[in-house]
Amino acid sequence: DSLIEGLLQSAFPEGVAHRIRAGEAGIAQVTQEATVLRCHMRGIAPSSSSEDFRRIMGGLRDFSAAVEALTQRHGVETCIWRVDGFVAVAGSPTSADDHVKRAAAMGQEVLVEARRFRGPTGDPLRVGLGLHSGRVMGAALGADRLRYEVWGDGVKMAEAVALGAADGTLLVSPTVQSRLRDEYSFQPQKVREVAGVQMRTFLMADPASGGPA
């Protein structure tokens, strides 16, 4: 029972794990507004050296463990890993009035953790982050191999914002900037196409230094 409980906790958001334990089937939910943090990891190329590969994988395991600890610290319930990074969602499936603040605080700490990672060349992990608040859909998919997935406009826009973020930076959409402008400093960026929409994104500044996050 403890093994099954651990697997549920590690594979699903707490709100979903609770419903699975209760025997609920067809779990799906639409959250009208949640905040999505998308992390793109870059420059991790296959290595011909098995020693380098083991070193890279060891560092990525440490980074992923640090990210998952941050989700706990900031109350960001959903974190799904991709080949090129992760998607984290604050405010879904369990609602939270301060979902924007939670995701932003986590994003800044993710950048700190990425700088601690070192590849075989000694360079830090290259990541670009994007934040957007919007509609998020989530569901437990599959039968024998159940897994949780999220999609929707909120996820799509966070993905597009992150693609425009330079290494080691956190870009936010106008929606997020308007919610946090009294707490953080932002540098407006050039208007560009983001997920088919002309949009001005904002570079979130590190509140400790006033520079880019």
Side-chain angles (χ1 to χ4, degrees):
D1 288 347
S2 61
L3 175 60
I4 293 174
E5 181 66 22
L7 290 172
L8 278 174
Q9 292 288 349
S10 63
F12 298 95
E14 172 56 32
V16 174
H18 176 75
R19 294 164 70 180
I20 292 173
R21 285 194 297 269
E24 185 176 341
I27 296 172
Q29 179 174 329
V30 177
T31 303
Q32 293 302 325
E33 187 179 73
T35 300
V36 181
L37 173 65
R38 178 64 164 104
C39 171
H40 272 291
M41 299 191 303
R42 301 157 179 162
I44 302 176
S47 173
S48 59
S49 166
S50 59
E51 182 179 350
D52 283 352
F53 179 74
R54 284 194 297 271
R55 196 177 305 155
I56 291 171
M57 290 302 101
L60 288 178
R61 279 193 293 270
D62 291 344
F63 177 66
S64 64
V67 168
E68 288 168 5
L70 291 176
T71 66
Q72 295 291 321
R73 182 185 306 168
H74 295 288
V76 176
E77 191 176 8
T78 301
C79 185
I80 300 173
W81 288 90
R82 310 278 198 232
V83 173
D84 63 346
F86 67 82
V87 177
V89 186
S92 180
T94 303
S95 62
D97 292 340
D98 60 347
H99 55 85
V100 183
K101 293 180 181 179
R102 294 186 188 197
M106 177 180 165
Q108 292 206 320
E109 290 202 56
V110 167
L111 293 179
V112 173
E113 293 297 335
R115 289 194 285 267
R116 292 176 180 168
F117 170 84
R118 288 292 183 272
T121 63
D123 295 327
L125 179 64
R126 295 169 51 206
V127 300
L129 304 184
L131 268 181
H132 178 66
S133 296
R135 192 167 182 257
V136 174
M137 293 172 281
L141 304 175
D144 295 333
R145 298 182 179 181
L146 200 63
R147 66 187 180 90
Y148 189 71
E149 187 55 80
V150 293
W151 64 96
D153 292 342
V155 177
K156 176 182 176 182
M157 191 63 73
E159 167 89 19
V161 171
L163 286 172
D167 294 346
T169 66
L170 171 55
L171 284 183
V172 308
S173 69
T175 304
V176 172
Q177 189 268 346
S178 67
R179 300 285 186 85
L180 298 178
R181 60 189 174 192
D182 293 334
E183 300 177 49
Y184 294 89
S185 296
F186 294 94
Q187 298 176 11
Q189 307 297 290
K190 291 182 179 179
V191 175
R192 64 181 180 90
E193 185 175 306
V194 179
V197 178
Q198 292 298 311
M199 178 185 293
R200 185 186 304 281
T201 56
F202 296 83
L203 180 66
M204 177 179 281
D206 184 339
S209 66

